[in-house]
Amino acid sequence: MPATVHHPRLPRTFYQRGSVMLARALLGQKLVHVVDGERLAGIIVETEAYLGIPDKAAHTYRGRHTQRNHAMWCDGGHAYVYFTYGMHHCMNVVAGHEGDPIAVLIRALEPVEGIDTMRLNRTASSGAALTTLCSGPGKLCQAMGITRRHTGRDMVNDPELFIERMRQRPYPASRIAVSARIGVAYAEEWADEPLRFYLKDNPHVSKR
DNA sequence: AGAGTGATCATG
DNA sequence: ATGATCACTCTC
């Protein structure tokens, strides 16, 4: 019985760039969470870039540095996971370098490994269909078992939470759709910036 | 379209 | 200490 061949983990340098470039480059890569020895994994199909200190939609707007958002100030490749609306977790991948609080929100996955477990993790009936199992930032965290306890993990060497390289080059721009970010209407002129990226025609993105 | 849910944050 | 807010989801 040959061991399953896994793809290589993304190195530090992959993450150490601007959040718009990282948001595009993460599309098509595989997010993995190992739970009790089982791999739960999905292909990233939707992301949003958060631009840090000048960005009115970002948790680090005006240089805010709090207990909650501390991970955003760490080096690229760390996870920033926060809890919101009293119910949901959202996961970000920190971009850039230590001291520059920018990040990419993971908004949707195409489930590929551990799908039965992911279904058990999801409470709502909407999680039954494959295309709505991970089609939103809160849904994918619930399905993958990602919570606040993962915030600050360094995905370059964490044994449980990491991202594997599935493509050497980012998708060409012709394959990526761009829109305003979701749920940031409060952010005034930043609400309409084209900072959401998703794979065209992919059925697993949010806002079906 | 509205409810649910509680950590988080800025005020005072 | 307190009150408003929230990078959401589900069901109506």
Side-chain angles (χ1 to χ4, degrees):
Chain A
M1 192 65 181
T4 305
V5 175
H6 295 141
H7 294 265
R9 184 183 291 237
L10 294 172
R12 177 81 62 209
T13 52
F14 180 89
Y15 301 103
Q16 291 175 318
R17 52 176 144 177
S19 53
V20 169
M21 293 303 298
L22 183 62
R24 290 179 173 276
L26 281 171
L27 295 175
Q29 314 296 2
K30 184 190 282 187
L31 177 65
V32 182
H33 185 203
V34 180
V35 183
D36 296 332
E38 181 187 19
R39 283 168 55 99
L40 309 182
I43 302 299
I44 298 169
V45 299
E46 178 180 348
T47 57
E48 281 178 357
Y50 285 82
L51 275 50
I53 294 170
D55 182 357
K56 290 183 178 175
H59 290 167
T60 49
Y61 173 54
R62 290 172 57 194
R64 283 190 300 238
H65 188 159
T66 65
Q67 186 169 354
R68 176 178 73 156
N69 70 20
H70 175 71
M72 278 191 72
W73 294 84
C74 296
D75 204 357
H78 285 74
Y80 167 45
V81 184
Y82 66 91
F83 183 68
T84 192
Y85 290 104
M87 284 175 243
H88 303 295
H89 295 273
C90 293
M91 179 189 170
N92 293 257
V93 177
V94 177
H97 293 80
E98 182 175 359
D100 186 10
I102 60 178
V104 175
L105 174 68
I106 307 299
R107 283 198 58 90
L109 303 175
E110 176 171 343
V112 291
E113 296 180 50
I115 292 172
D116 292 343
T117 299
M118 287 197 231
R119 282 208 169 97
L120 291 172
N121 288 344
R122 292 272 281 121
T123 50
S125 58
S126 73
L130 191 62
T131 53
T132 48
L133 185 56
C134 294
S135 62
K139 297 186 200 178
L140 75 89
C141 282
Q142 187 181 47
M144 294 278 289
I146 295 168
T147 69
R148 250 184 333 167
R149 75 194 174 83
H150 295 97
T151 205
R153 296 279 188 100
D154 183 0
M155 294 189 288
V156 172
N157 49 47
D158 191 90
E160 297 174 350
L161 186 66
F162 48 90
I163 304 176
E164 290 179 348
R165 165 163 263 150
M166 305 299 285
R167 327 175 30 87
Q168 290 297 327
R169 324 261 1 144
Y171 276 102
S174 61
R175 299 282 305 279
I176 300 176
V178 183
S179 82
R181 293 174 293 185
I182 306 294
V184 297
Y186 60 87
E188 302 174 20
E189 75 273 20
W190 284 85
D192 299 323
E193 287 294 305
L195 294 173
R196 173 177 175 241
F197 306 92
Y198 58 98
L199 293 179
K200 280 183 186 170
D201 304 320
N202 187 291
H204 302 275
V205 301
S206 67
K207 296 265 170 158
R208 294 282 306 140

